[in-house]
Amino acid sequence: MSISLRDFQHVCINGGRTAWRDNIGIVPALRESRSCLAVSPTGTGKTEIFCAISRMAQKRVLILADRVELVEQTHARVERATGLQWSMEMGDRHGSRSNWFKGTVGCVPSVRKRLGKYRSDEFGLIVVDEADLGIADSYRDIYDHFKEAKVLGVTATPNRRDKVSLEGAFETLAFEYRLPEAIEDGWLIEPTQLVRVWTEVNLADVRGKGESMNQGQVSKRVGTDKAVLELVGETLRIADSRPTIIFAQDIAQAEAIADKINDHRDGSAFAASCKTEDRKRSAMIAEWKRGGFQFFVNVNIATRGLDHPPCSLVVNGAPTGSWPRFMQRMGRGTRPLAGTVDGHAGPEARKAAIAASGKPDFVFLDFTDVSDRHDLVHPDEALAGEPLSERDRRCLAEVRREGRLMTAREAIAKAKRMAKEQEEEIERIKEASRPKLLVTTRGQYRAPQRGENPVQLGERGNFSLTPKQIARLTQQKYPVDGAGDHELRGFWKDYVHRIKSGRPSRAMENFVKSFGVPCPESRNAAASLLDRLIAQRRARNVEDRR
C-alpha cells in the first residue's frame, strides 16, 4: 500500500526547500547521525511522515507514545497507512517479537518496564511521537537499551515549558514547518475569531509568574461559581452547533462546567481527565466524535494527539503562561475536514476549498483575568509560530490598541517590524552617545578625559532627527509642529526612555487619560487597562443600540 504524501512531507523525508527554508530531511540526517527532529504543526500529517519512514526501514520499528489513547490511535493509523501488521506494548497487551509484525507501537511506561524481553538490536528505528517529551529519563532508558537503533522525533511544539533544549536527545533538526507557514500555504485553517474574554477572576495575588504560577491558587480562583458561569455563558453564546473542546484548570472546574452546560443543553457535555477510567474516557471521546456530545470538557487530555477535524470551537478556561501548551490547545481547531485540501494545486486553491467546506473557520475563545501581573499567553501570539520576545509582545499590544482591522498574523508581522525598528533606533542612540575623539586647539585628536562627554561638549549633542524619527514622534502624539532641534531631541530621548524602561508610550498614555482615568506606570498594565476600558465602551455602545 502506497502512502500519499504532500509536497512538504516529501521535503521532510528527503530534504530540499519549502517556500520558507532549506531542510536537511530525515533520511539524509539519519545517515549522518543517530537521531534527528522533525517539527511540523498539528494537523499537517506527522503520522503519515513517520509511517512512510517506517515502510522504508529495513529492520523493525518501535513507535513510542505516552498515553493510552495516543497508543491506540497511532496503532490503528499506522496499520491503516502502511498496510502492515503492528503489535502493541501497553498494559495487558504484549508486543510480539515476530517478524510477521513490522514493528511495535508502545506506551512508554510499559516498554520501559519490559525492556528485558527485547534484544538490544531488536529495532532499527525508534519513532518518538510528541518528541518534546523525549528527553525524559523514561525515554532515555529506552534509547540506551536499543543502542543500534536510529531515533526520529516528531513534534509540533519544540519549545518546552521548562525551557530545556531538545538538543540533548536529538542531534539534528531535519525539518521545520511552523503554524503560520502551514496556514499561509493553505494546509490549515486560520481562526477567524481570536476572542480574549476579560473576566472578574483576579490572579494578582497568585504566587509565581507566567509558567511558574501556583496551580492550586489558580484553581481556587477560576473554579468559583461566578467564574464558571461567566465561561459557560460566553461559550454557549458563541458555540451554536459547533463541536467544542473546553480546557479546564482541574477536575472540579471541568465537572462544574459540564454540569452548567447540561443545565442549559441537557446531555450535551461531558468532562474527562487523567483520573477518568481509561475505557470510560475512550468511550466518551468516541461518542463525542460521533456527535453524541457537543462539548468535551477536559483537563490535559486533549492537548496532545487528539484528532477530530470537525471541532470548530476551542475554549481555553485554564490560564497559562506556557506557549507550547497554548499552541497544543489551539491546534485542536486548525485541522480542516478530511479530504478538503488534498488534490488542489497551490495555496489559494486550498484556501478556497476550505472556505467552501463544511468547516470554513474555527473560533478560539480565551478567558483571562483582570490583573496584569502574570505573563499569560495571548491568542495572537500562538500564530507567531514561536514564542515572542518581551519587546515583540509590547509592540503587539500597541498594534492592538490602534484598533485597525487586520488578521492576527498581520498584527504579529507589524509588531515584529515595530520591534525591529525600535531596536535599531536604540542602537543608533547608543552609538551616538558613545565617547568620540575630541579635536584639540592644535587640530590634533585626543580621547576625552574623565568627566568629558562629546554630547556635553557639543561634538555629538547637536544631532538632528531624521524624517523617519520625526514621523515616529508624530505617530506617538508628540507636539513636533514648530518644535526646534533641541525640543525634538528631548522628545526623542523621552520616547527611547519609555521603550527601554517598559513605560507606556505617550500615545497609549494619552489614550488611557482620554477615558478619565490615570495611566499606570507599566506598559503591560496600561495595555490591559485599555483592553478593559475599550471592552466596557463597546458593551455600552451595544446596549445603547438596543
Side-chain angles (χ1 to χ4, degrees), residues 196 338 349:
R196 197 172 209 194

Side-chain angles (χ1 to χ4, degrees), residues 348-417:
E348 297 309 316
R350 289 190 286 269
K351 291 176 184 178
I354 289 173
S357 72
K359 181 187 173 183
D361 62 4
F362 89 95
V363 177
F364 188 89
L365 192 58
D366 179 46
F367 288 84
T368 191
D369 75 314
V370 297
S371 78
D372 191 55
R373 180 173 179 270
H374 301 283
D375 296 325
L376 302 181
V377 182
H378 193 284
D380 286 357
E381 295 179 48
L383 294 181
E386 59 186 358
L388 297 180
S389 69
E390 184 59 34
R391 189 181 302 280
D392 289 338
R393 297 183 76 177
R394 290 201 300 265
C395 290
L396 181 58
E398 189 170 330
V399 170
R400 291 197 294 267
R401 297 290 76 70
E402 293 177 0
R404 297 181 183 176
L405 186 62
M406 63 178 70
T407 67
R409 287 187 298 123
E410 290 171 341
I412 291 164
K414 182 173 181 180
K416 286 192 170 186
R417 288 195 301 270

Side-chain angles (χ1 to χ4, degrees), residues 238-465:
I238 291 178
D240 194 22
S241 60
R242 294 174 180 267
T244 302
I245 290 178
I246 301 174
F247 291 96
Q249 176 70 21
D250 58 21
I251 298 171
Q253 186 202 20
E255 292 176 346
I257 291 170
D259 289 345
K260 292 296 181 183
I261 291 175
N262 286 328
D263 287 344
H264 292 83
R265 300 185 187 182
D266 188 35
S268 64
F270 74 98
S273 71
C274 60
K275 300 294 185 182
T276 309
E277 193 272 324
D278 290 347
R279 295 188 183 279
K280 179 182 178 182
R281 187 174 65 222
S282 297
M284 295 172 77
I285 292 174
E287 183 65 17
W288 172 65
K289 290 183 176 182
R290 288 193 295 268
F293 296 102
Q294 181 183 352
F295 301 93
F296 171 21
V297 191
N298 78 100
V299 183
N300 295 329
I301 291 298
T303 50
R304 296 177 181 273
L306 186 140
D307 299 337
H308 187 48
C311 176
S312 58
L313 174 59
V314 179
V315 179
N316 183 37
T320 181
S322 166
W323 184 84
R325 177 170 288 177
F326 203 93
M327 285 291 295
Q328 289 159 358
R329 293 171 182 175
M330 179 172 284
R332 300 311 110 199
T334 56
R335 195 186 301 266
L337 296 178
T340 299
V341 295
D342 290 304
H344 296 279
E348 297 309 316
R350 289 190 286 269
K351 291 176 184 178
I354 289 173
S357 72
K359 181 187 173 183
D361 62 4
F362 89 95
V363 177
F364 188 89
L365 192 58
D366 179 46
F367 288 84
T368 191
D369 75 314
V370 297
S371 78
D372 191 55
R373 180 173 179 270
H374 301 283
D375 296 325
L376 302 181
V377 182
H378 193 284
D380 286 357
E381 295 179 48
L383 294 181
E386 59 186 358
L388 297 180
S389 69
E390 184 59 34
R391 189 181 302 280
D392 289 338
R393 297 183 76 177
R394 290 201 300 265
C395 290
L396 181 58
E398 189 170 330
V399 170
R400 291 197 294 267
R401 297 290 76 70
E402 293 177 0
R404 297 181 183 176
L405 186 62
M406 63 178 70
T407 67
R409 287 187 298 123
E410 290 171 341
I412 291 164
K414 182 173 181 180
K416 286 192 170 186
R417 288 195 301 270
M418 288 175 60
K420 185 178 180 181
E421 289 174 1
Q422 289 179 4
E423 289 170 357
E424 290 173 350
E425 295 294 353
I426 290 172
E427 284 302 313
R428 200 192 76 78
I429 294 296
K430 287 181 178 178
E431 178 63 28
S433 64
R434 289 192 181 103
K436 306 296 179 181
L437 293 177
L438 302 178
V439 182
T440 67
T441 54
R442 298 181 179 180
Q444 297 175 338
Y445 292 90
R446 65 171 175 83
Q449 303 298 315
R450 179 176 295 183
E452 289 183 335
N453 189 303
V455 173
Q456 296 171 343
L457 296 174
E459 171 87 359
R460 299 282 293 176
N462 292 329
F463 67 90
S464 296
L465 269 63

Side-chain angles (χ1 to χ4, degrees), residues 86-136:
W86 292 70
S87 66
M88 186 186 298
E89 189 77 79
M90 180 178 64
D92 58 1
R93 302 280 297 274
H94 291 263
S96 172
R97 297 179 58 195
S98 169
N99 287 330
W100 284 104
F101 295 91
K102 177 63 179 176
T104 297
V105 182
C107 190
V108 173
S110 297
V111 174
R112 188 188 192 190
K113 288 178 182 178
R114 303 167 188 173
L115 285 174
K117 77 183 229 184
Y118 293 105
R119 300 189 313 272
S120 62
D121 62 349
E122 191 85 30
F123 299 103
L125 175 67
I126 300 173
V127 177
V128 184
D129 197 6
E130 308 297 348
D132 47 302
L133 304 176
I135 65 173

